[in-house]
Amino acid sequence: MVLSAAAALTTAAGPAGASAVSDARPGVFAYVANLHSDTVSVVDTRTDTVVDSVPVGDGPDSAAVSPDGARVYVTDSAADTVSVIDTCTRTVVDTVGVGDEPSRVTVSPDGRRVYVANVRSNDVSVIDARTQAVTDTIEVGGFPLGLAVLPDGSRLYVANAGSNDVSVISTATHEVVDSVSVGSGPTVLAITPDGRHVYVSNLTSDDVSVIDTRSHVVTGTVQVGDQPAGIGVRPDGRRVYVANIGSDDVSVIDTRTHEVTDTVSVGDGPNGLAVTPDGSRVHVSNFDSDTLSVIDTRTDTVVRTVPVGDGPTGVASGRREKARSSGHAVPTSLRGRS
């Protein structure tokens, strides 16, 4: 229900049923959470085609891939759970109960912990990736929507849309050690590869805040499109991409000048965004057109539009190095949700 919740903020201010056959090939895959069809579309980035559709819990809203590419974690916003997908068999192998209306999920760089932002309970659930059990719950600001971890794993940043700030959490103690005021309706976070800056998309002030991670001070504000949501940084740290729900485009920010250098038109209602590990592609989920736009980062142009499930929201991409198992599968946020 993250999409309907975010709509309240703005007011105030593959084919389903595809067989999930084991695939041992390594490669980069994009995973798209489809809010209305309760599925995750699996996209092979080599061909830009949907190779599978995985049934998950009610209201999938975001996804995150483990560092080894073996697991995908999906927040089931209407079920208060996280679905754990094995990327080889493309089946849900576990379901973890978390807080009230989980909105975003991220995995620590070492792959040992999974962090989940829960919108309605104003907290973050900490999952042990080995046992798939919640080991801690951290209270944060109002209406937490976004999460990001420093590359060294020492800090977790949480965007609180209801309190217009970012909570800074020590991952060693699970305590909030600082709070940074940003724009209106902070929604999604992205951290540069060197860990020096956090970029925060502010849904209702139409801008991006830039936080210095050493001083926890906002050092820049970049005006972007209408209702910015999904955000990602290229692996070389030179560009930031921002999906703008209201203007149906993606803003491209130069991290050296903090200026928008390009605007790329995509589908209707773009909200989720992920950059591939090699930085060559940006995948943007278009909620209102049920598609995934593929942007070539060399030219900053859309090179492919891929039909996915109903109401695509979060998107994540990751590299799977090799298969971990085999066999056949068994079938098992920011507008309104019908």
Side-chain angles (χ1 to χ4, degrees):
M1 299 286 288
V2 171
L3 296 183
S4 60
L9 278 175
T10 58
T11 302
S19 60
V21 179
S22 173
D23 187 347
R25 296 178 303 165
V28 176
F29 294 83
Y31 302 89
V32 186
N34 302 304
L35 187 76
H36 290 164
S37 53
D38 297 337
T39 60
V40 170
S41 298
V42 183
V43 179
D44 188 329
T45 64
R46 291 166 293 195
T47 59
D48 289 329
T49 56
V50 174
V51 295
D52 220 329
S53 180
V54 183
V56 290
D58 190 8
D61 194 40
S62 70
V65 185
S66 62
D68 63 1
R71 294 284 186 266
V72 177
Y73 296 87
V74 182
T75 54
D76 308 316
S77 64
D80 297 341
T81 58
V82 170
S83 294
V84 184
I85 297 173
D86 182 301
T87 60
C88 181
T89 63
R90 299 180 191 143
T91 58
V92 173
V93 294
D94 215 330
T95 302
V96 185
V98 289
D100 190 0
E101 195 173 315
S103 66
R104 293 291 188 276
V105 59
T106 193
V107 185
S108 63
D110 62 8
R112 294 182 179 180
R113 289 185 176 87
V114 179
Y115 301 99
V116 183
N118 304 302
V119 172
R120 297 298 179 185
S121 50
N122 297 327
D123 55 29
V124 172
S125 299
V126 183
I127 300 172
D128 185 316
R130 291 166 294 185
T131 64
Q132 306 299 351
V134 173
T135 59
D136 208 348
T137 301
I138 309 166
E139 293 186 6
V140 290
F143 218 74
L145 282 175
L147 296 164
V149 186
L150 286 179
D152 67 4
S154 64
R155 292 284 188 271
L156 170 68
Y157 293 80
V158 184
N160 304 305
S163 50
N164 297 329
D165 57 21
V166 172
S167 297
V168 184
I169 297 169
S170 166
T171 56
T173 63
H174 291 167
E175 295 179 349
V176 175
V177 295
D178 210 344
S179 179
V180 185
S181 295
V182 290
S184 176
T187 302
V188 186
L189 307 173
I191 298 178
T192 53
D194 61 10
R196 295 181 62 179
H197 295 96
V198 180
Y199 288 82
V200 187
S201 61
N202 300 307
L203 184 76
T204 52
S205 56
D206 299 338
D207 55 28
V208 170
S209 298
V210 185
I211 299 174
D212 185 306
T213 59
R214 293 164 296 185
S215 63
H216 290 153
V217 170
V218 173
T219 58
T221 302
V222 186
Q223 292 297 133
V224 290
D226 186 13
Q227 298 177 36
I231 189 168
V233 185
R234 219 165 62 177
D236 61 10
R238 295 181 179 178
R239 296 286 188 274
V240 173
Y241 293 82
V242 186
N244 304 303
I245 296 171
S247 50
D248 297 335
D249 54 29
V250 171
S251 299
V252 184
I253 300 172
D254 186 316
T255 58
R256 292 165 294 188
T257 63
H258 288 161
E259 294 180 352
V260 173
T261 59
D262 211 342
T263 301
V264 185
S265 295
V266 289
D268 297 336
N271 61 93
L273 184 149
V275 183
T276 55
D278 66 358
S280 65
R281 294 287 190 269
V282 174
H283 294 97
V284 185
S285 58
N286 304 304
F287 183 77
D288 293 325
S289 56
D290 298 338
T291 59
L292 187 73
S293 295
V294 184
I295 298 174
D296 185 327
T297 60
R298 294 171 299 178
T299 60
D300 285 338
T301 57
V302 173
V303 294
R304 198 75 58 88
T305 300
V306 184
V308 288
D310 187 3
T313 53
V315 55
S317 64
R319 184 183 304 278
R320 191 179 63 214
E321 299 299 339
K322 59 182 179 180
R324 298 183 337 108
S325 55
S326 60
H328 294 274
V330 179
T332 39
S333 312
L334 293 153
R335 294 183 187 270
R337 181 168 186 249
S338 60

